[in-house]
Amino acid sequence: MCGFIGIVSTKPLLRNSLMDNQFSKAYLNLKSRGPDEKGIYTDGNSYLLHTRLKILDLSPLSAQPMVKNNYTICFNGEIYNFKEIKNKLINKGYYFKSSGDTEVILRAWQEWGEKMLQKLDGMFSFAIWDKKNKNLFLARDRFGKKPLVYCIKNNNIYFASDVRSLSCIAEGGEVNNEAIHSLFRFRFIHEPMTIYKNFYKLPPGSLMCFNRYGKKIRYWYHLKELKKATNKTNIKSLKYTIENAIKKRLISDVPIGVFLSSGLDSAIIIHTLAEMGKKIPTFTVGFKNEASYYNESENAKK
C-alpha cells in the first residue's frame, strides 16, 4: 500500500510556501500508507508527492514519483504479471533500471498508451503526467481495490489516495447528504460520491484524461457476462482460479502474512496455502470486552 497526492494545472503553477505547507500536512496523512520513502516532483504545471511502502525492489531505483522521458508516474498497488509484461517490452528494445513493477507500468504506457490497462493483472490506482503534451491520466483497477479521489476547480485538478489528504490541498465543500444516506443504507458511499460535495471518486475500471480542454472519464473495463456451467466444472474452475490468484500474491521482496477472520474467504486462503506447503503467519484482530458480533478471534482460533 502506497499513497500519492498531486495538483496539475492547465496554466503555470506557482509553487510557494503555502503550497509546500499544504503538501507537508497531506504527507502526514499519507505516511501511514507509505512509511518507507517520500518523494516529490514539481515542474511548471504540476506538483506531485508520493509515499512508498516497499514490497518489490527495495532499492531507490523504484522510488516515486518516477520519471521516464516526458512521463512521470505516481502508483499505488501491485501488478502481478509485471515480469511477463517486462519481458515483452525488453523484446521491443526497452531497457529497465529497476526490478519492480512501477517502471514496467510507465514503459508499458509509453509503448501501448491506454491499451496497456487491458494487459495489467493486479490492483492499482495511478497518475501519469505527460509533461510534453500537458495531459494528466488517472486510472483505477477493474474493481476499485485501490482508491483515487479528485477535485476540479478552475484550471486545476487536485487528486489523492484518500479524502483526508485531498482536503489538505483543496476545499471539499459541504457534507454530501446523499453520501450519508448511502453510508447508512448500504454501509458504504457509492461511487462517484464522497462524504464531501466537491470531492469525487474515480469509478472502478475507469480512466480520466485531464487537460486544457477539461476532463474526460471513460470505462476501460466492463464485467463480462457469466457463462452457464455445471457444478463440477464450476468447482474445478474455482479451485484453479483461487490457487492461481494466491500464487501471484506470494511474490514479494519482504515477509508477508495473512489476515485471518472467521469467514470463509480467509479460511480458504489458509487452507490453499497449507496445501501448497506454505507456512505463512496469520493475524487476527480482537478487543477485550468487545461484542461477539465484532470479535472474530475465537472463531479464527478454531
Side-chain angles (χ1 to χ4, degrees):
M1 185 168 67
C2 298
F4 60 84
I5 188 167
I7 302 175
V8 165
S9 179
T10 58
K11 293 186 177 181
L13 183 67
L14 178 63
R15 179 179 177 180
N16 51 38
S17 58
L18 174 61
M19 192 177 295
D20 286 337
N21 289 335
Q22 290 174 330
F23 271 77
S24 294
K25 187 177 179 181
Y27 166 68
L28 296 177
N29 291 326
L30 285 173
K31 191 175 180 180
S32 60
R33 298 185 65 88
D36 298 327
E37 204 167 61
K38 170 188 175 184
I40 291 176
Y41 169 87
T42 61
D43 60 32
N45 297 91
S46 71
Y47 191 141
L48 309 175
L49 182 149
H50 184 273
T51 59
R52 184 182 174 203
L53 177 66
K54 294 182 179 180
I55 298 174
L56 298 174
D57 188 2
L58 310 185
S59 77
L61 294 175
S62 283
Q64 298 185 55
M66 182 180 287
V67 182
K68 298 291 178 184
N69 302 112
N70 296 310
Y71 297 100
T72 303
I73 186 172
C74 285
F75 162 58
N76 169 30
E78 188 173 356
I79 307 303
Y80 306 124
N81 64 334
F82 77 97
K83 291 183 179 180
E84 292 90 334
I85 298 173
K86 184 177 184 178
N87 288 333
K88 291 179 181 179
L89 291 167
I90 289 173
N91 290 335
K92 289 179 174 290
Y94 285 89
Y95 170 77
F96 291 86
K97 291 184 178 181
S98 68
S99 60
D101 50 2
T102 304
E103 188 177 5
V104 174
I105 296 175
L106 200 49
R107 291 302 194 190
W109 186 270
Q110 288 178 255
E111 176 65 22
W112 297 299
E114 297 176 15
K115 294 180 180 179
M116 171 270 290
L117 291 164
Q118 302 291 345
K119 302 178 185 293
L120 299 182
D121 178 5
M123 52 181 180
F124 58 85
S125 66
F126 63 75
I128 294 181
W129 168 235
D130 180 351
K131 179 182 177 181
K132 181 180 179 181
N133 298 305
K134 300 293 187 291
N135 288 321
L136 174 72
F137 299 95
L138 301 177
R140 201 168 171 209
D141 61 61
R142 291 167 178 79
F143 301 110
K145 291 183 182 180
K146 292 301 177 182
L148 186 51
V149 292
Y150 70 93
C151 170
I152 296 177
K153 187 176 181 181
N154 299 327
N155 301 300
N156 297 342
I157 182 169
Y158 307 82
F159 53 93
S161 294
D162 61 44
V163 168
R164 281 196 311 166
S165 302
L166 186 61
S167 65
C168 295
I169 65 170
E171 178 56 50
E174 297 178 355
V175 170
N176 188 339
N177 288 330
E178 191 176 349
I180 293 177
H181 288 305
S182 175
L183 179 63
F184 281 97
R185 186 174 183 181
F186 303 111
R187 298 180 69 181
F188 73 97
I189 297 176
H190 200 281
E191 283 91 1
M193 295 185 297
T194 70
I195 196 66
Y196 298 117
K197 287 185 176 181
N198 295 344
F199 292 173
Y200 300 91
K201 300 173 189 173
L202 185 68
S206 67
L207 170 74
M208 176 200 289
C209 177
F210 175 84
N211 52 35
R212 63 190 180 93
Y213 300 108
K215 81 173 192 295
K216 186 176 182 181
I217 298 177
R218 68 175 184 84
Y219 286 92
W220 63 268
Y221 173 78
H222 298 277
L223 185 64
K224 296 178 181 178
E225 184 177 351
L226 299 177
K227 296 180 180 179
K228 292 183 179 180
T230 63
N231 287 336
K232 189 175 181 180
T233 303
N234 280 336
I235 292 170
K236 186 176 180 180
S237 176
L238 180 61
K239 190 173 189 299
Y240 170 79
T241 300
I242 291 172
E243 290 175 351
N244 193 39
I246 291 174
K247 285 179 183 178
K248 292 175 182 178
R249 286 154 179 79
L250 295 177
I251 301 172
S252 175
D253 293 332
V254 294
I256 60 176
V258 179
F259 284 118
L260 176 60
S261 69
S262 62
L264 287 175
D265 49 0
S266 61
I268 289 171
I269 291 171
I270 297 299
H271 173 74
T272 305
L273 287 169
E275 285 191 329
M276 293 178 181
K278 302 290 185 181
K279 294 183 178 180
I280 296 176
T282 62
F283 300 88
T284 304
V285 178
F287 302 93
K288 290 182 178 179
N289 302 320
E290 187 177 45
S292 59
Y293 178 80
Y294 294 105
N295 191 341
E296 299 181 278
S297 57
E298 287 302 315
N299 287 330
K301 190 182 296 183
K302 292 178 184 178

